[in-house]
Amino acid sequence: MTQERSAPEAVKKESKIEVIKRNSRHLRGTLEEALQDGRPLFDEDNVQVLKFHGVYQQDDRDLRQKLKKEGKEKHYMMMVRARIPGGVLTPEQYLAFDELADRYSEYGSLRITTRQTFQLHGILKGDLKATIRAINEALLTTLGGCGDQVRNTITCAAPGHEAYHAEIREDLLAIVDCASAKTHGYHEIWLDGEKLPLGAEAGEEPLYGDIYLPRKFKIAIAIEGDNCLDVYANDLGIVAHVDGEHVTGYTLLVGGGMGRTASVKDTYPRLATPVAYVERHELLEAVVAVITVQRDYGNRADRRYARFKYTLDERGIDWFRAELAARLGRPLAEPRPLHWQRAHDHLGWHVQRPGYGYLGVYVPNGRLRDTETARYKSALREIVAEFRPSVRLTTQQNIILADLPEAARPLVEQKLKAAGIPLVDELSALRQSAMACVALPTCGLATAESERALPGLLPQFEQLFADYGLADERISIRMTGCPNGCARPYIGDIAFVGRSLGKYDIFLGGDFYGTRLNQLYKELVPIDQLVAEIRPLVAAYAAERQPGEGFGDYCHRVGLERFRTAAAGELR
Ligand code: SRM
Ligand code: SF4
């Protein structure tokens, strides 16, 4: 395995965060002391170290102004992100999270993320240790939820009885095991683990070394034909080729990423590029080699350019292929051609194996809570407690209840209906594929609403498409509260990217299969004009589309310029 460091380029000047990482003694920082200091917040160095432990320091942004006026400090609270490889949970683990949300989250909710894990928002500093301990007692961790390391590794959440499902799971867990931080500091801080003797930390991180990766690193394993998880948005995308029963090998794609900064013009989203094919037994070695290339060559001076995509674009894909081949000690095989037949989430009832099925349940923006109209949290708790399904969180923020006996299906569906939770046939195609990131009030980077805004927009868009006889069209709408792209907006048919409170940039022309970046259509559009801005394009699409052509494909084919330059109202 290629874990030794090959000579890195001379690093010009390390960014502040690199220094914090280096001084943290493998992520210990002064967290233990800080947890005892009675203050509601952590200092800046510990805030950075905490991310590696799966914790973000936030404040309730709804309260900011009021507290400021009253001369009080912000209402600090933590977001805790678990690491749940492939989104798979036992019923006991699901119930443990459900209870943690009741006990410690100020919002009383659980949030399924676009990388198929759970986030708990609104955890006060004084409850942090108990929360993290409880997650570990449920045999899960938060280490690797965030920070400059390999993040939650994702895969298609749909279960199946064919051997390749188990093989992919095995390969995913091997990657997770190998790419997880090994620091003992996590156990020392949160689980009262015995402390290592001074200096013994030196060899703790064979893969990451003292300063971990230059930036976050995301890995996804898709199954050939099904891009439900947006494989092209990952630093390392892995596509499993199957012969119907077994995995025959994997195609590797590198350099995907969504993040951009609106004011920094040379930051951009990028689709991962296919670079090589590996046999199944070669996968782990290849994954480690790819990670080490980024570890050794990624930009450690300026975090804005530290993602793998910039390393690759700066040096070129040919350079990368040569570097990877050198690290593996053999020439690379060409990537296999990739074809996608589906990309929607696995909602509704599906046969899993004889006598058993799984039910994909739509969760609006991944937020599990009880409201006046839908009791997501309590209904799912009751169902999981009674029927003991295995639970799978999807990368489109939904939930799959797996291993359900067929006889349980009507009972489960009845419970969902009674709780006001729609089944898949009650949902428009548009709603099934819509996603919004968290944004306000917890995200410190949000410049606009997203999770709280999309539910108000969806009925208007449903009406718009219905007006043109397109109610059943599969169209992906994605919304984010800033350009960072947490709901992967730049590969949706339609995206609204928050720029300032109430104003969004509109992006159009991606495709439903997530294989093409969309284009900026209009900037800073007020939220109440989003539907009107899209209407002329929907009208033209309805009139001019080719058979089977998706909305994004149509926009891409005819070009946005025609609509951009049309006088307002002319095409409505
Ligand atoms: Fe994200 C930062 C939420 C998936 C790109 N993301 C953040 C933070 C932690 C804000 C912060 O740094 O203070 C957000 C916390 C909000 C909150 O209150 O919960 C946040 N990101 C999320 C989640 C919860 C969105 C969701 O609605 O589900 C997703 C959690 C995933 C997980 O479980 O690990 C989430 N973020 C993504 C994705 C999608 C993906 O990975 O498939 C992306 C685009 C892909 C990519 O990484 O390029 C993404 N998040 C970012 C970025 C931009 C990174 C960049 O390269 O520029 C940031 C900002 C940063 O890292 O500086 C960010
Ligand atoms: Fe926050 Fe921006 Fe990510 Fe939305 S896209 S969760 S606003 S960082």
Side-chain angles (χ1 to χ4, degrees):
M1 194 101 8
T2 347
Q3 295 205 11
E4 306 85 46
R5 289 174 163 250
S6 68
E9 293 260 301
V11 175
K12 290 166 212 150
K13 186 177 179 297
E14 279 182 340
S15 73
K16 206 176 98 201
I17 308 253
E18 293 301 302
V19 178
I20 294 173
K21 286 190 273 182
R22 193 186 295 287
N23 293 339
S24 76
R25 295 176 304 117
H26 292 152
L27 313 182
R28 288 168 176 81
T30 53
L31 286 173
E32 269 203 287
E33 295 83 332
L35 283 168
Q36 320 250 349
D37 67 11
R39 300 178 66 211
L41 75 162
F42 293 90
D43 67 24
E44 184 48 29
D45 283 14
N46 279 326
V47 164
Q48 296 305 331
V49 175
L50 266 179
K51 291 183 185 173
F52 289 77
H53 296 252
V55 178
Y56 280 84
Q57 179 160 294
Q58 302 182 320
D59 70 288
D60 187 331
R61 295 184 57 183
D62 284 346
L63 299 178
R64 260 190 206 176
Q65 271 198 332
K66 177 177 166 284
L67 292 173
K68 199 173 171 191
K69 266 192 204 145
E70 293 169 2
K72 295 185 183 148
E73 71 176 357
K74 291 173 181 170
H75 180 62
Y76 289 104
M77 52 189 197
M78 310 297 146
M79 178 269 273
V80 176
R81 187 186 284 162
R83 201 186 62 194
I84 306 179
V88 177
L89 291 163
T90 63
E92 291 73 24
Q93 288 170 332
Y94 180 88
L95 294 171
F97 272 100
D98 177 83
E99 201 199 319
L100 278 177
D102 290 344
R103 199 172 339 147
Y104 296 124
S105 161
E106 293 213 320
Y107 299 96
S109 69
L110 273 173
R111 179 59 154 69
I112 305 169
T113 74
T114 51
R115 294 193 75 78
Q116 63 187 168
T117 188
F118 272 140
Q119 282 186 180
L120 287 158
H121 291 99
I123 307 290
L124 298 181
K125 186 177 166 220
D127 293 328
L128 190 55
K129 191 162 173 174
T131 306
I132 293 180
R133 278 183 87 108
I135 291 172
N136 280 268
E137 276 157 20
L139 302 182
L140 287 165
T141 185
T142 61
L143 182 62
C146 330
D148 298 343
Q149 56 191 318
V150 172
R151 297 292 188 86
N152 198 40
T153 298
I154 57 175
T155 190
C156 171
H161 67 275
E162 299 88 350
Y164 66 80
H165 286 280
E167 290 165 358
I168 290 171
R169 177 93 189 138
E170 193 186 321
D171 294 344
L172 178 139
L173 291 179
I175 292 171
V176 171
D177 192 37
C178 181
S180 298
K182 303 286 183 278
T183 176
H184 194 254
Y186 184 83
H187 303 268
E188 293 171 14
I189 295 161
W190 309 108
L191 310 175
D192 296 332
E194 205 182 308
K195 291 200 178 33
L196 290 185
L198 213 62
E201 316 100 64
E204 265 183 323
E205 297 283 11
L207 175 60
Y208 291 132
D210 290 341
I211 45 173
Y212 294 81
L213 298 180
R215 205 67 162 82
K216 59 179 88 170
F217 194 94
K218 297 183 171 179
I219 303 180
I221 309 185
I223 304 173
E224 191 176 10
D226 184 348
N227 196 19
C228 63
L229 51 68
D230 286 329
V231 72
Y232 294 94
N234 287 266
D235 295 277
L236 172 56
I238 302 170
V239 180
H241 298 282
V242 296
D243 63 7
E245 195 57 34
H246 293 283
V247 173
T248 53
Y250 292 101
T251 286
L252 306 183
L253 304 88
V254 293
M258 296 281 100
R260 54 182 271 277
T261 308
S263 56
V264 184
K265 292 297 169 213
D266 58 354
T267 58
Y268 48 83
R270 183 187 190 281
L271 296 180
T273 313
V275 282
Y277 172 84
V278 294
E279 300 291 334
R280 192 176 163 218
H281 69 272
E282 297 169 330
L283 178 69
L284 188 60
E285 187 190 19
V287 167
V288 171
V290 173
I291 297 170
T292 61
V293 173
Q294 164 65 354
R295 178 195 67 190
D296 298 345
Y297 289 97
N299 186 330
R300 291 187 185 264
D302 187 342
R303 289 180 68 78
R304 282 174 306 182
Y305 307 105
R307 289 297 289 273
F308 194 25
K309 58 185 175 184
Y310 299 117
T311 316
L312 292 170
D313 285 348
E314 217 179 278
R315 292 169 181 271
I317 286 291
D318 290 344
W319 166 85
F320 171 74
R321 291 191 91 232
E323 183 67 28
L324 184 60
R327 286 178 188 229
L328 293 173
R330 57 175 182 275
L332 300 183
E334 287 301 314
R336 299 272 161 98
L338 300 174
H339 305 288
W340 305 102
Q341 287 89 44
R342 48 171 296 147
H344 47 267
D345 223 3
H346 302 267
L347 299 177
W349 178 263
H350 304 262
V351 175
Q352 189 177 337
R353 59 178 189 274
Y356 289 83
Y358 68 88
L359 185 68
V361 180
Y362 166 75
V363 181
N365 302 320
R367 184 68 68 176
L368 293 170
R369 69 166 152 238
D370 286 355
T371 64
E372 275 171 23
T373 47
R375 291 187 297 104
Y376 273 91
K377 189 160 172 300
S378 54
L380 283 163
R381 175 175 59 232
E382 275 171 41
I383 290 168
V384 173
E386 186 177 338
F387 298 94
R388 320 298 293 177
S390 98
V391 176
R392 285 148 183 263
L393 309 178
T394 81
T395 55
Q396 295 182 38
Q397 306 167 325
N398 296 309
I399 199 162
I400 287 176
L401 305 172
D403 302 305
L404 284 171
E406 261 165 24
R409 178 183 174 185
L411 305 169
V412 171
E413 290 185 349
Q414 233 168 38
K415 278 188 186 287
L416 292 172
K417 282 190 154 205
I421 300 173
L423 300 178
V424 67
D425 49 11
E426 297 165 75
L427 296 164
S428 68
L430 191 88
R431 198 169 283 257
Q432 288 177 38
S433 308
M435 286 206 290
C437 72
V438 179
L440 295 167
T442 54
C443 179
L445 304 178
T447 49
E449 294 282 356
S450 182
E451 184 183 321
R452 298 195 294 198
L454 189 64
L457 285 174
L458 281 180
Q460 301 175 46
F461 277 100
E462 285 171 331
Q463 187 57 55
L464 169 63
F465 281 95
D467 287 348
Y468 294 94
L470 299 166
D472 297 329
E473 273 322 296
R474 288 213 160 270
I475 290 158
S476 57
I477 296 191
R478 295 179 174 187
M479 185 167 208
T480 57
C482 83
N484 278 317
C486 297
R488 300 186 287 269
Y490 308 113
I491 38 184
D493 286 298
I494 304 176
F496 304 123
V497 173
R499 282 285 298 282
S500 68
L501 217 49
K503 292 198 175 148
Y504 297 81
D505 289 352
I506 301 177
F507 289 77
L508 299 170
D511 67 332
F512 190 78
Y513 299 107
T515 65
R516 186 176 58 231
L517 290 174
N518 48 28
Q519 303 287 316
L520 178 62
Y521 175 55
K522 287 207 172 158
E523 286 189 85
L524 291 163
V525 177
I527 190 164
D528 57 4
Q529 286 170 33
L530 292 175
V531 176
E533 286 291 353
I534 303 291
R535 182 174 287 277
L537 288 99
V538 176
Y541 168 60
E544 299 171 5
R545 66 188 295 217
Q546 293 174 349
E549 190 175 37
F551 180 65
D553 293 330
Y554 167 79
C555 293
H556 179 71
R557 177 169 63 82
V558 302
L560 298 176
E561 210 41 45
R562 166 182 157 195
F563 299 100
R564 222 181 262 132
T565 48
E570 196 180 292
L571 290 152
R572 285 175 204 175

